[in-house]
Amino acid sequence: MRVLGIDPGLTRCGMGVVDGSVGRPLSLVDVNVLRTSSDLPVAQRLVTIEKGVEAWIEEHRPDAVAVERVFARSDVSTVMGTAQASGIAMVVAARRGLPIALHTPSEVKAAVSGSGRATKQQVGAMVTRILRLDAPPKPADAADALALAITHIWRGGAQARLEQAVARQTRAVPARAVPARAVPRRTP
Amino acid sequence: MRVLGIDPGLTRCGMGVVDGSVGRPLSLVDVNVLRTSSDLPVAQRLVTIEKGVEAWIEEHRPDAVAVERVFARSDVSTVMGTAQASGIAMVVAARRGLPIALHTPSEVKAAVSGSGRATKQQVGAMVTRILRLDAPPKPADAADALALAITHIWRGGAQARLEQAVARQTRAVPARAVPARAVPRRTP
């Protein structure tokens, strides 16, 4: 199984591709960090991220994409851009029918290091050991993207298969045809 | 000038198209609210929004797109989805080379009602009057999308033209090579 892990961000978007399966050694395929200048309009930056993720999916043909789940309680100054970048990454993958899984930072830390409170250094060190690299991938976004891909493989891709099944089942129904009761109202 | 206003949201994404220019009566072209079910995976919902916005741009051929600027201080439970939906809307517009402007809720309220603290009802009432409608557009997301388009026309589209010029200038150059002085900073 080949997994593309994406640590989304407007300024730095980490992308890591890992091959392997549960119980076997994993191997690094490629890792990169997409960067966009904060001097550009957000829309242009998002288009750059879209093209970058598309190019990587095209080149590496992953079986699944694992994206970090973004929380509103993260750093307020960057969380909006992170959410937008993650949305773009998900759309690029979903358009190709790829299974998409979201893993929280705690889940990733716990999967690779055994502790949901591991530091960046610990995550980097474990990624280095798991993938038998000479040195920790830099910057941290690169290591985080690889940790996401590792997490996804080790968790067996159960979540992704579930979501794919749901998506397949619902794809035939146009959005507007969804019965009113299926759309819960968030605000009165 | 024809402007597509977008009030982004995962559950309800308002889209309103308005024709007109500064100092002349404005007219409603079309208004709609894209809905996606919260039962679907986020990626599928974002793809539905992408297709919906694309279809509307294709149908109405706006000269510019105005998107509500999302803040992290909004309602935490919905802000991530709102950010993701806004990112998708921006990418769809940017891919077509359309100028994109972001207006804050306060700017929109102030533009249509004279007060940055106007209520939803006041905004709806002013949109109804400005576009000479028989009744306020429902739901509020529809009225908000139209208010965004009106705001954009009345502000003269200056921001959008600036960003378009920058985008055109920088399109040939990779993101990293853009000179820092080219884009005015919004926040210190």
Side-chain angles (χ1 to χ4, degrees):
Chain A
M1 170 177 217
R2 175 170 287 192
V3 176
L4 166 60
I6 297 180
D7 181 26
L10 260 188
T11 303
R12 289 185 307 276
C13 184
M15 301 190 297
V17 182
V18 175
D19 266 349
S21 55
V22 182
R24 297 212 194 149
L26 306 184
S27 60
L28 169 73
V29 177
D30 205 350
V31 64
N32 191 18
V33 175
L34 273 172
R35 293 167 196 269
T36 72
S37 165
S38 61
D39 296 327
L40 290 175
V42 170
Q44 293 301 320
R45 302 175 75 182
L46 292 172
V47 169
T48 301
I49 290 168
E50 180 187 38
K51 287 181 181 161
V53 174
E54 259 173 0
W56 259 51
I57 290 179
E58 188 63 37
E59 182 176 344
H60 294 299
R61 308 271 173 181
D63 302 302
V65 177
V67 182
E68 186 176 294
R69 189 185 292 274
V70 188
F71 287 106
R73 62 180 158 79
S74 314
D75 176 17
V76 169
S77 68
T78 60
V79 73
M80 305 311 296
T82 305
Q84 291 171 328
S86 78
I88 301 302
M90 281 194 268
V91 161
V92 170
R95 276 200 303 243
R96 290 169 173 257
L98 287 172
I100 298 159
L102 301 175
H103 302 291
T104 68
S106 302
E107 286 167 347
V108 172
K109 289 173 183 172
V112 301
S113 80
S115 163
R117 296 182 172 188
T119 63
K120 289 263 176 206
Q121 284 73 18
Q122 288 172 316
V123 170
M126 285 309 297
V127 166
T128 309
R129 190 182 301 177
I130 294 164
L131 299 177
R132 290 152 294 143
L133 309 176
D134 294 332
K138 301 268 175 159
D141 314 77
D144 286 347
L146 291 169
L148 269 158
I150 293 166
T151 300
H152 188 72
I153 293 171
W154 281 355
R155 291 183 120 206
Q159 187 198 350
R161 282 198 300 272
L162 184 66
E163 294 200 350
Q164 193 181 30
V166 172
R168 204 181 297 124
Q169 185 194 329
T170 56
R171 200 166 292 157
V173 187
R176 291 196 209 178
V178 173
R181 56 172 175 71
V183 187
R185 293 188 175 272
R186 284 209 154 245
T187 48
Chain B
M1 170 178 215
R2 175 169 287 192
V3 176
L4 166 60
I6 297 180
D7 181 27
L10 259 189
T11 303
R12 289 186 306 275
C13 184
M15 301 191 297
V17 182
V18 175
D19 266 349
S21 54
V22 182
R24 295 210 196 152
L26 306 184
S27 60
L28 169 73
V29 177
D30 206 350
V31 64
N32 192 16
V33 174
L34 273 171
R35 294 167 194 268
T36 72
S37 165
S38 62
D39 296 331
L40 292 175
V42 171
Q44 291 301 320
R45 302 175 75 183
L46 292 172
V47 169
T48 301
I49 290 168
E50 180 188 39
K51 286 180 183 163
V53 174
E54 259 173 1
W56 258 51
I57 290 178
E58 188 63 38
E59 183 176 343
H60 294 298
R61 306 272 173 180
D63 302 303
V65 177
V67 182
E68 185 175 295
R69 187 185 291 276
V70 188
F71 287 107
R73 62 179 156 81
S74 315
D75 176 18
V76 169
S77 68
T78 61
V79 73
M80 306 312 296
T82 305
Q84 291 172 329
S86 79
I88 300 304
M90 282 194 267
V91 160
V92 170
R95 276 200 303 243
R96 289 169 173 257
L98 287 173
I100 299 158
L102 301 175
H103 302 290
T104 68
S106 303
E107 286 167 348
V108 172
K109 289 173 184 171
V112 301
S113 79
S115 163
R117 295 181 172 188
T119 63
K120 288 263 175 205
Q121 283 74 17
Q122 288 173 316
V123 170
M126 285 308 297
V127 166
T128 309
R129 191 182 302 177
I130 293 162
L131 299 178
R132 291 153 292 143
L133 309 175
D134 294 332
K138 301 269 172 154
D141 314 76
D144 286 348
L146 292 170
L148 270 159
I150 293 167
T151 300
H152 188 72
I153 293 172
W154 281 356
R155 292 183 120 206
Q159 187 200 348
R161 283 198 301 272
L162 185 67
E163 294 200 349
Q164 191 182 31
V166 172
R168 205 182 296 124
Q169 184 196 330
T170 56
R171 201 164 289 155
V173 187
R176 292 191 211 184
V178 175
R181 58 177 171 70
V183 182
R185 292 184 178 275
R186 288 214 143 237
T187 49

